[in-house]
Amino acid sequence: MDEDTPDGEAPTAGDPRADGGTERAEPTEDVALDPWGSASVGDYADLFEEFGIEAFDEVADDVVDPHYLMRRGVIFGHREYDAVAEAMANDEPFAALSGFMPTGDPHIGHKLVFDEIIWHQQQGGDAFGLIADLEAHSARGMSWDEIDEHARNYLLSLLALGFDAEEGEIYRQSDNREVQDLGFELGSKANFSEFEAIYGFDGETNISHMQSVITQTADILYPQLVDEPKPTVIPVGPDQDPHVRLTRDLATRVRYFKVTEAFASFELDDDERQLVRAAYDALADPDGDGAVDDAETDVRCEDAADWLADYEPPESVAEAKSGALDKLEAGGKEPLRPRVRFFDRNATDEAFEALIEAVDGEKRVFEGHVDAFDLTRGEAESVAREVEIDHDGFGFRQPSSIYHRFMTGLTGGKMSSSVPASHISLLDDPEDGYDKVRAATTGGRDTAEKQRELGGEADECPVYELYAYLLAGDDDELTKTVYSECVNGERLCGGCKEQAAELMREFLEDHQEKREEAEELLDELDIDLDSDRRGTGGEH
């Protein structure tokens, strides 16, 4: 979750659209995601295959007036962003949060996340920006004096770019007791073996580093402690996805009740359930007109087993067929009837009794679960959450996330905080920013003649990325013009870099003026930027 370094690989998946986006490509290699190292993403399409990140294109049409980073394909993936888009479209509560590890100056890579948080705030969401100071101290060995200085710079840029501190919330991990208390509770549902699997932690990993991970999961869920559980999006680079995956798991583990669809007395996993649903639908509604009375339909488990035996399932669930068949055959003449099942996961006795009372319509009560026949899945989820919250539970929803592409370094390859020429700090002197862009590597040909003949390679050009990710702002026509003129040989690199350099200088001048204006506002906020903490110093 914490954007702390401009390190990252260039986008390489597919051919870029003229508006700055890219098409999906087929997976080509394994992917390694390390939240504290240089991200290794050989092809962004691999993330769909390896980690279940979904293509943002699948939800893009549901977003009203999308941000330009969405329109141009810079935001390329998501987890369950449809829940946020639906809340946004219906003027329902939602939130956006991201964190920043204060290990250096804020840079143009951080601006992507700043902009995403601010845009969601402008769409009506509750916005949260946090300083991951505990992580900076434990994982990077930063002194508290260094953390204080960098934190101030991050927050000034966030405010200068338009974050409304009166409507949103800014905090430091080390000062937020609610986050720390929540982290303690979440930690009771995590174990070292999954830290090994997710992060590669071993016997040499310090305990504070592990603690900072749990604190980050609490950060991600913190917006749901404010007012009520709500759809919450975490804008991040793909290297931060391990934090999102762990948090989604923990948000589920602390829930009082698990709500699933069931068909009979036995349990099914998700893939088996899909196959049994197909069998039931085929037998209960052979005409496919949806006219099914579940209470009157006489479908037996053995009937469904016979149907499933001849069914060719989709490849994605083919391996579940034998397990589903075994369970249906063992069910024999037991009626197959859809119902919603509430499992007691962490509920108190009082909460479980309250759930039974809250379930309307036909129901059956068992030790450890309740079957309801007159509720939809969505209605059942709402009932379970309301009972949980009424009995001192959290009622968390799984957080959503969106993922943006990494920016290429101005010198080519990875953008690195240790190579000043490869990136632009938001604190750079405007003339230095101008000079860095003028000196940047491009996707141009060796000579002007070849450029005019063959066209440039905008999809491999760090300067074109500057237009698409930052300099063109909301002006899609500018990115389209730059791209088309480049690939058609009408635009030469010298003039293109001059235009980009001028725009960069103007951006930095404007941003730094706004940072100065934000100084007074920051001083008025209830956030301590002069920590009195003492530390061990050095790397941990």
Side-chain angles (χ1 to χ4, degrees):
M1 179 188 64
D2 305 312
E3 301 288 333
D4 68 304
T5 171
D7 293 351
E9 294 191 2
T12 57
D15 296 325
R17 298 191 297 262
D19 61 353
T22 60
E23 299 175 356
R24 287 182 61 178
E26 293 302 316
T28 57
E29 59 182 52
D30 291 336
V31 182
L33 299 180
D34 177 3
W36 301 285
S38 297
S40 176
V41 180
D43 193 311
Y44 286 93
D46 293 338
L47 298 173
F48 302 111
E49 180 77 14
E50 296 290 329
F51 299 107
I53 291 175
E54 299 178 78
F56 192 82
D57 285 349
E58 297 173 5
V59 296
D61 290 342
D62 299 328
V63 181
V64 179
D65 191 20
H67 190 273
Y68 73 78
L69 294 173
M70 298 174 176
R71 300 196 303 266
R72 295 175 195 161
V74 177
I75 294 174
F76 71 92
H78 78 103
R79 289 189 189 276
E80 207 176 340
Y81 188 71
D82 49 317
V84 176
E86 180 179 354
M88 200 184 310
N90 295 323
D91 198 25
E92 296 172 349
F94 70 97
L97 172 145
S98 201
F100 306 92
M101 186 159 61
T103 57
D105 290 344
H107 51 71
I108 56 176
H110 292 119
K111 184 182 179 295
L112 299 181
V113 186
F114 292 150
D115 286 346
E116 292 169 60
I117 292 292
I118 293 164
W119 180 82
H120 282 94
Q121 184 180 46
Q122 292 169 344
Q123 307 314 301
D126 297 331
F128 298 79
L130 69 103
I131 296 298
D133 54 356
L134 294 179
E135 183 186 14
H137 187 63
S138 65
R140 292 293 176 85
M142 302 292 293
S143 73
W144 290 105
D145 286 343
E146 291 173 312
I147 289 170
D148 290 344
E149 178 184 356
H150 295 317
R152 184 175 188 85
N153 283 326
Y154 277 87
L155 296 180
L156 283 174
S157 282
L158 178 62
L159 294 170
L161 289 166
F163 185 91
D164 187 338
E166 292 185 3
E167 294 296 325
E169 181 175 345
I170 294 171
Y171 68 89
R172 293 176 68 143
Q173 288 177 325
S174 59
D175 289 339
N176 192 320
R177 185 55 192 263
E178 282 188 274
V179 163
Q180 293 177 45
D181 288 348
L182 175 57
F184 181 83
E185 297 298 332
L186 296 173
S188 70
K189 300 297 182 182
N191 58 65
F192 181 68
S193 62
E194 63 189 328
F195 277 36
E196 285 183 298
I198 296 172
Y199 300 106
F201 287 172
D202 56 27
E204 299 301 314
T205 305
N206 72 72
I207 301 300
S208 292
H209 191 174
M210 298 181 204
Q211 183 181 2
S212 75
V213 170
I214 287 296
T215 302
Q216 285 188 77
T217 65
D219 286 322
I220 292 171
L221 294 174
Y222 173 64
Q224 300 193 55
L225 295 182
V226 180
D227 296 329
E228 61 182 332
K230 58 179 98 45
T232 302
V233 61
I234 315 299
V236 288
D239 56 328
Q240 301 299 307
D241 183 58
H243 297 321
V244 175
R245 283 183 279 129
L246 176 60
T247 307
R248 286 172 61 87
D249 285 346
L250 293 179
T252 299
R253 291 179 210 171
V254 298
R255 290 294 306 275
Y256 277 11
F257 306 104
K258 177 182 179 181
V259 179
T260 65
E261 185 181 32
F263 291 88
S265 60
F266 48 79
E267 297 305 322
L268 300 164
D269 66 26
D270 290 342
D271 290 346
E272 292 170 345
R273 193 175 296 113
Q274 182 175 331
L275 294 174
V276 173
R277 165 56 75 181
Y280 177 83
D281 288 347
L283 295 170
D285 184 19
D287 297 328
D289 59 7
V292 177
D293 185 341
D294 293 331
E296 300 295 331
T297 300
D298 186 21
V299 176
R300 306 284 176 174
C301 290
E302 59 188 11
D303 301 329
D306 290 341
W307 182 91
L308 185 58
D310 296 328
Y311 176 62
E312 291 291 333
E315 185 177 348
S316 60
V317 294
E319 293 183 1
K321 180 175 177 178
S322 61
L325 270 174
D326 290 344
K327 292 174 182 179
L328 288 170
E329 290 169 350
K333 294 186 178 299
E334 180 182 352
L336 203 64
R337 185 181 172 196
R339 80 285 307 265
V340 175
R341 178 164 292 164
F342 300 83
F343 283 102
D344 179 355
R345 176 179 270 144
N346 296 298
T348 61
D349 292 341
E350 292 80 4
F352 189 69
E353 290 299 322
L355 175 73
I356 296 171
E357 291 296 319
V359 173
D360 292 329
E362 183 183 353
K363 58 191 168 189
R364 295 177 187 170
V365 180
F366 303 89
E367 183 176 356
H369 75 268
V370 179
D371 284 357
F373 294 88
D374 297 327
L375 295 178
T376 66
R377 176 73 177 272
E379 292 168 340
E381 291 281 6
S382 295
V383 168
R385 181 169 286 109
E386 289 171 7
V387 170
E388 180 175 342
I389 293 171
D390 286 345
H391 289 78
D392 299 322
F394 294 112
F396 289 135
R397 299 181 56 134
Q398 285 190 315
S400 305
S401 49
I402 51 177
Y403 303 91
H404 56 257
R405 300 173 185 275
F406 295 116
M407 296 186 73
T408 310
L410 297 180
T411 53
K414 294 182 180 180
M415 190 178 281
S416 173
S417 57
S418 61
V419 182
S422 75
H423 76 279
I424 293 176
S425 164
L426 297 179
L427 308 185
D428 275 346
D429 183 279
E431 291 303 321
D432 290 340
Y434 173 92
D435 291 340
K436 286 182 180 181
V437 175
R438 287 290 298 158
T441 299
T442 72
R445 304 295 178 176
D446 293 338
T447 64
E449 289 74 16
K450 287 186 177 180
Q451 179 88 352
R452 294 189 179 95
E453 177 187 354
L454 302 174
E457 297 178 293
D459 54 335
E460 297 180 10
C461 181
V463 175
Y464 172 70
E465 280 186 26
L466 289 178
Y467 285 102
Y469 288 44
L470 168 65
L471 299 177
D474 209 41
D475 186 356
D476 288 340
E477 289 305 314
L478 176 56
T479 61
K480 291 177 181 178
T481 298
V482 171
Y483 185 88
S484 63
E485 288 181 354
C486 173
V487 298
N488 291 327
E490 302 168 33
R491 173 174 286 248
L492 300 183
C493 293
C496 187
K497 287 202 291 185
E498 176 62 29
Q499 182 182 6
E502 290 282 1
L503 290 172
M504 182 62 73
R505 178 164 55 194
E506 292 172 9
F507 164 74
L508 289 174
E509 288 173 348
D510 178 68
H511 180 67
Q512 288 167 22
E513 286 177 8
K514 290 177 178 176
R515 278 175 55 91
E516 291 179 7
E517 296 170 3
E519 288 274 4
E520 183 176 350
L521 175 59
L522 180 58
D523 291 339
E524 293 174 354
L525 296 181
D526 184 22
I527 183 166
D528 185 4
L529 295 175
D530 293 307
S531 174
D532 58 2
R533 282 176 170 261
R534 290 183 290 178
T536 57
E539 294 290 341
H540 300 298

